[in-house]
Amino acid sequence: MWLYEKKLQYPVRVSVCNPRLAKFLIEQYGGADGELSAALRYLNQRYTIPDKVIGLLTDIGTEEFAHLEMIATMVYKLTKDATPEEMKQAGLGDHYANHDGALFYHDAAGNNWTASYIQAKGDPIADLYEDIAAEEKARATYQWLINMSDDPFLNESLSFLREREIVHSQRFREAVELIKDSNTGKKIF
């Protein structure tokens, strides 16, 4: 099912070591509206969605894992040369004490990722509207990250991710209409 190319979906460059910015980016790594949550949500929902949109959930869920890889690369590059004192000053002292430089699934506030972030109702319309909301929240978060960043190289990658969230939202909106259209046929009880 998966073909892995040993390159990122979009190049990730950073100007300088910046653990403070990495702390904010971790939100998209292990936060409720981050890339891990999105990937798992969509790949899980595809089992109870009509056949005509299974491929969409598979495609977007898989792409979200590529986005997760990009965020991990950003965080790594922003922290790889940071000293323990710099990690502490950036608000990542607890992270450093528990994980050193390793990535860990938690949000920017340090809350561990949890499966309760994933929504699946089993109703295609409800699930797709949840997916639209998730994509719009991710888009907003990427914009806020760009607003806080002064790294033009990193902002290029963040802008790419923000634009992909917009595309995903649009695709989910199309899927809602497709399902609604298929449900408007004559029903006899």
Side-chain angles (χ1 to χ4, degrees), residues 29-42:
Y29 192 69
D33 303 316
E35 302 296 351
L36 177 65
S37 296
L40 295 176
R41 176 185 300 114
Y42 307 150

Side-chain angles (χ1 to χ4, degrees), residues 11 14 16 19 31 33 36 40 51 57 68 75 79-80 90 100-101 115-116 139 142 144 146 152 180 189:
V14 301
V16 295
D33 303 316
L36 177 65
L40 295 176
D51 288 346
L57 286 169
L68 184 69
V75 172
T79 60
K80 72 177 181 153
D100 187 26
S116 65
R139 175 202 47 80
Y142 280 122
W144 297 327
I146 291 166
K180 282 181 180 178
F189 297 96

Side-chain angles (χ1 to χ4, degrees), residues 22-186:
K23 180 185 188 313
F24 300 137
L25 284 173
I26 287 173
E27 184 65 32
Q28 289 302 86
Y29 192 69
D33 303 316
E35 302 296 351
L36 177 65
S37 296
L40 295 176
R41 176 185 300 114
Y42 307 150
L43 292 175
N44 182 59
Q45 288 175 351
R46 61 191 266 257
Y47 291 100
T48 55
I49 203 89
D51 288 346
K52 59 184 82 182
V53 294
I54 288 174
L56 175 66
L57 286 169
T58 303
D59 291 348
I60 295 176
T62 302
E63 185 177 344
E64 299 293 0
F65 278 127
H67 297 174
L68 184 69
E69 185 178 31
M70 288 177 63
I71 292 294
T73 302
M74 291 175 197
V75 172
Y76 170 75
K77 287 184 174 187
L78 289 167
T79 60
K80 72 177 181 153
D81 296 325
T83 65
E85 185 58 34
E86 288 171 325
M87 294 288 277
K88 187 176 170 184
Q89 288 174 353
L92 288 170
D94 294 341
H95 177 94
Y96 181 80
N98 285 313
H99 310 289
D100 187 26
L103 290 159
F104 188 77
Y105 294 108
H106 61 76
D107 63 16
N111 301 305
N112 291 342
W113 183 88
T114 173
S116 65
Y117 293 160
I118 301 170
Q119 297 298 318
K121 193 66 174 172
D123 177 274
I125 299 297
D127 284 344
L128 287 168
Y129 276 120
E130 172 67 30
D131 300 343
I132 293 165
E135 293 296 325
E136 293 299 336
K137 288 186 260 183
R139 175 202 47 80
T141 301
Y142 280 122
Q143 184 59 56
W144 297 327
L145 290 168
I146 291 166
N147 293 348
M148 290 189 289
S149 169
D150 60 356
D151 187 327
F153 296 131
L154 184 68
N155 287 350
E156 287 177 21
S157 300
L158 293 172
S159 293
F160 170 82
L161 291 170
R162 182 193 60 207
E163 295 305 314
R164 293 306 300 161
E165 304 302 343
I166 293 168
V167 170
H168 295 169
S169 178
Q170 291 169 338
R171 297 292 313 278
F172 285 137
R173 291 170 199 274
E174 293 166 5
V176 166
E177 295 308 313
L178 185 65
I179 291 172
K180 282 181 180 178
D181 289 346
S182 68
N183 288 341
T184 58
K186 192 174 191 178

